[in-house]
Amino acid sequence: MKDISRRNFLQVCGLGIVAAAGTGALAGCSGGSDDGGSGTGSGDSKIATIKARGKLNCGVKADVLGYGYLNTETNEYEGLEIDLCYQIAAAVLGVSYDEAKEKKLCEFTTVTPKTRGPLIDNDSLDIVCATYTITPEREEDWDFSTSYRTDSVGIMVMKSSGIAEMADFDGKIIGVSQGSTTKDAILTMFEDKGIGATPEFKEYPDYPSINSALESGNIDAFAMDRSTLNTYMNDQKELVQPDIEFGTQDYGIASKKGSDLSDVVDETVTELLDNGWMDEEITTWLGASA
């Protein structure tokens, strides 16, 4: 059994970098920025920067119920992914989860599929925890944690649309989010199942815009992860052939490629999956078992 966990080692390194900057006393720990800002150079320690700043900068969704949602009544973010960010902050800053939440040790920024990657690259954000699908292409540019949740794509329409099956999408307009993998997932599914439909796709900057376009009749369908669609579902809307599951989405937490923060993020997620915390969160926020 290890005398010290990877997380604790990284925490010690982070503290040591700040305390012993320039002494080289801690071999194996990269030199850290001591300015408390968000920027880091190629040789800097993200963990040391976060510790100096005292907060974890997190990119999250503001419009996905159960995952990341900005409650307009409280003006607070809430959901499974918000709680997960506090767990990461607790691990990095060496405090308990409850203390991280109580002291609000996370600084939240709403991200979209188009902005989330660049905000990691320019060090505005330390992590992105925003129903971010893990793909081989994305893993070339950013580090991802072990998947904490799996979802699939759905296509939502107005019940009055007359669209009852996938083949009915021929010539129809499907709204998708900019920078998402949804379009490719739909086309792959059509091909795999031999569905002879050729829809048009229109990209939007955010989910509320797609939903508004659907309700106003400017598009025929709203396609996205089913967890996202659930936010906008009501008695006038329905999923088309929900029994057809496709475009499996494995959500992970993204961090800067090669940063010392990535190991802490992955270890924390793995621990939360193993100890049952994630199962409890899914039940609390999504009303479902893992």
Side-chain angles (χ1 to χ4, degrees):
M1 186 173 182
K2 296 181 180 179
D3 292 331
I4 184 169
S5 69
R6 182 190 295 270
R7 179 191 298 175
N8 290 334
F9 171 76
L10 289 170
Q11 289 173 352
V12 170
C13 284
L15 288 171
I17 293 164
V18 176
T23 67
L26 289 173
C29 299
S30 58
S33 170
D34 196 34
D35 61 5
S38 60
T40 59
S42 59
D44 291 337
S45 164
K46 287 288 285 185
I47 291 176
T49 300
I50 295 165
K51 284 178 176 291
R53 185 195 310 132
K55 284 193 175 184
L56 183 72
N57 290 337
C58 311
V60 297
K61 291 289 181 65
D63 53 4
V64 183
L65 284 173
Y67 285 86
Y69 189 76
L70 183 58
N71 188 322
T72 55
E73 293 183 0
T74 63
N75 202 34
E76 298 281 348
Y77 288 89
E78 59 185 35
L80 180 155
E81 291 177 331
I82 305 305
D83 291 346
L84 190 48
C85 286
Y86 280 118
Q87 287 281 16
I88 303 299
V92 174
L93 297 171
V95 301
S96 69
Y97 167 64
D98 290 338
E99 186 176 353
K101 293 193 74 172
E102 181 183 348
K103 294 185 176 181
K104 299 184 183 298
L105 298 184
C106 288
E107 190 72 35
F108 296 113
T109 298
T110 301
V111 296
T112 67
K114 192 173 182 179
T115 64
R116 57 197 174 189
L119 289 175
I120 294 176
D121 292 339
N122 67 19
D123 293 306
S124 295
L125 297 176
D126 302 314
I127 64 172
V128 167
C129 187
T131 59
Y132 204 175
T133 304
I134 305 168
T135 68
E137 294 76 19
R138 288 171 180 168
E139 287 182 305
E140 292 180 4
D141 296 321
W142 305 285
D143 287 334
F144 280 86
S145 70
T146 299
S147 174
Y148 56 86
R149 182 67 172 157
T150 300
D151 199 2
S152 59
V153 174
I155 308 179
M156 183 173 69
V157 298
M158 304 302 293
K159 290 181 179 179
S160 60
S161 68
I163 298 173
E165 56 185 35
M166 296 299 181
D168 295 334
F169 284 114
D170 192 43
K172 301 298 186 182
I173 303 174
I174 301 176
V176 298
S177 179
Q178 292 175 351
S180 72
T181 58
T182 307
K183 175 183 175 180
D184 290 340
I186 293 172
L187 293 177
T188 298
M189 181 268 290
F190 281 3
E191 182 178 354
D192 290 346
K193 294 191 175 297
I195 296 171
T198 305
E200 296 180 35
F201 292 90
K202 188 171 183 179
E203 294 188 346
Y204 290 84
D206 53 53
Y207 304 135
S209 296
I210 310 176
N211 186 60
S212 294
L214 174 65
E215 292 181 342
S216 64
N218 291 326
I219 58 176
D220 301 295
F222 178 176
M224 184 42 61
D225 304 353
R226 296 189 187 203
S227 56
T228 299
L229 293 180
N230 185 58
T231 307
Y232 301 97
M233 187 65 70
N234 58 36
D235 292 339
Q236 285 75 49
K237 301 170 185 172
E238 62 185 359
L239 293 183
V240 176
Q241 292 190 266
D243 55 308
I244 298 179
E245 292 197 12
F246 67 99
T248 299
Q249 315 278 326
D250 289 319
Y251 299 149
I253 300 177
S255 53
K256 195 161 191 177
K257 191 74 174 178
S259 73
D260 57 354
L261 174 63
S262 300
D263 281 341
V264 177
V265 171
D266 187 59
E267 182 181 282
T268 303
V269 171
T270 300
E271 181 180 326
L272 296 173
L273 287 166
D274 290 343
N275 66 19
W277 183 88
M278 193 67 66
D279 290 348
E280 293 177 2
E281 282 284 300
I282 290 171
T283 300
T284 298
W285 290 107
L286 305 176
S289 58

